[in-house]
Amino acid sequence: LSLGGLVMLAVALLSFGLEIPKSGLSKRQKLSEILKMLAGEPRLRLPYLFAFLDRFTVGFFVASFPIYAVIRYGFTPGQIGAHIAAFMLTMGLLCRPVVMLSRRFSQTHLLLWGSLIYGAFFASIGLFDPPLLMVWMFLLGAASALMFIPTLQLSAARAPDQNVGASMGGFNSAGSLGFLLGPLVSGVLISLLSGLYSVESAYGIVLFIGGSVEVLVAGYLISRSLAGERTLAD
């Protein structure tokens, strides 16, 4: 943790040496104007929603999985890190293949179906024991890449004219809000459920709830789309 803080401090100091262009920049807008502009583009609601949900579930994961893994499996810090790495690194490594996949298939469909699969895998974490749990982490990472890349692409493609930067800022803000609320909500749920179940079961249920939220939202939008009804995907 200390090393991570030093790296961030070093990056901050090095940034002062960067040359910032003085010309060709867009006129600085007020925050209220940016928010009004982004809210006025309904096509951004879908990628923003899933940017929020993606990071919301990750918030559940980072707050609950390490403790759950210690209580249920007696994992060492190294084993916990290896399982988290299997999830996160797989997602990162598969981003490029998913970009290529998005050129052949609908980005919206990849987003919705990827989110449904990701949510189902996430909700099922508590059903598997090592060594299958490690395999499940790889699958979870693959599904995460399948839904993350289209979310990113749609946020850029659906940006209001000449406001791609603002649109991507909104994307990151939605994700940050989800990552903030994920640990808070999961903590509240743990407090409530631990009074009714064992701590081990409570954490398993919390992970199930986190994934189920994404399954329900993605499943609802998919069903509406298949029925020919207009949804956020339109």
Side-chain angles (χ1 to χ4, degrees):
L1 292 174
S2 298
L3 179 60
L6 289 174
V7 170
M8 295 177 66
L9 180 61
V11 171
L13 293 174
L14 289 171
S15 68
F16 285 106
L18 296 177
E19 182 179 352
I20 300 176
K22 303 298 183 182
S23 60
L25 300 177
S26 300
K27 180 181 178 182
R28 183 180 295 275
Q29 296 173 285
K30 294 181 179 179
L31 178 60
S32 58
E33 295 176 352
I34 295 175
L35 294 176
K36 182 178 180 180
M37 175 190 63
L38 296 179
E41 179 50 76
R43 298 189 306 160
L44 287 174
R45 295 171 188 170
L46 179 72
Y48 283 10
L49 171 63
F50 282 96
F52 172 85
L53 288 176
D54 178 30
R55 291 294 169 259
F56 183 73
T57 56
V58 171
F60 266 61
F61 184 84
V62 299
S64 301
F65 179 77
I67 302 173
Y68 174 73
V70 170
I71 294 174
R72 179 167 179 175
Y73 308 119
F75 274 5
T76 64
Q79 289 174 307
I80 294 172
H83 282 74
I84 294 177
F87 172 20
M88 301 296 182
L89 291 180
T90 300
M91 189 274 283
L93 291 173
L94 289 181
C95 284
R96 178 60 181 171
V98 174
V99 169
M100 299 173 66
L101 194 66
S102 68
R103 295 171 181 168
R104 299 187 58 185
F105 300 97
S106 164
Q107 294 172 350
T108 300
H109 288 166
L110 284 177
L111 168 58
L112 293 176
W113 286 101
S115 298
L116 184 68
I117 296 170
Y118 167 77
F121 283 164
F122 192 99
S124 305
I125 290 174
L127 300 179
F128 297 91
D129 296 326
L132 285 178
L133 181 62
M134 178 63 80
V135 176
W136 209 247
M137 290 295 105
F138 283 115
L139 293 175
L140 185 63
S144 180
L146 192 60
M147 62 89 69
F148 172 73
I149 291 301
T151 309
L152 196 66
Q153 291 172 320
L154 290 173
S155 295
R158 295 180 173 184
D161 292 340
Q162 300 180 341
N163 283 283
V164 176
S167 179
M168 299 311 296
F171 165 83
N172 285 307
S173 296
S176 297
L177 179 61
F179 195 67
L180 172 66
L181 293 179
L184 295 176
V185 174
S186 64
V188 171
L189 290 174
I190 284 294
S191 297
L192 295 174
L193 293 171
S194 59
L196 303 173
Y197 306 94
S198 67
V199 177
E200 175 185 321
S201 297
Y203 275 102
I205 294 172
V206 165
L207 290 170
F208 174 80
I209 292 173
S212 296
V213 171
E214 187 130 4
V215 168
L216 290 173
V217 175
Y220 171 75
L221 292 175
I222 289 172
S223 64
R224 290 282 302 275
S225 179
L226 292 176
E229 300 179 33
R230 292 183 61 84
T231 65
L232 290 175
D234 301 316

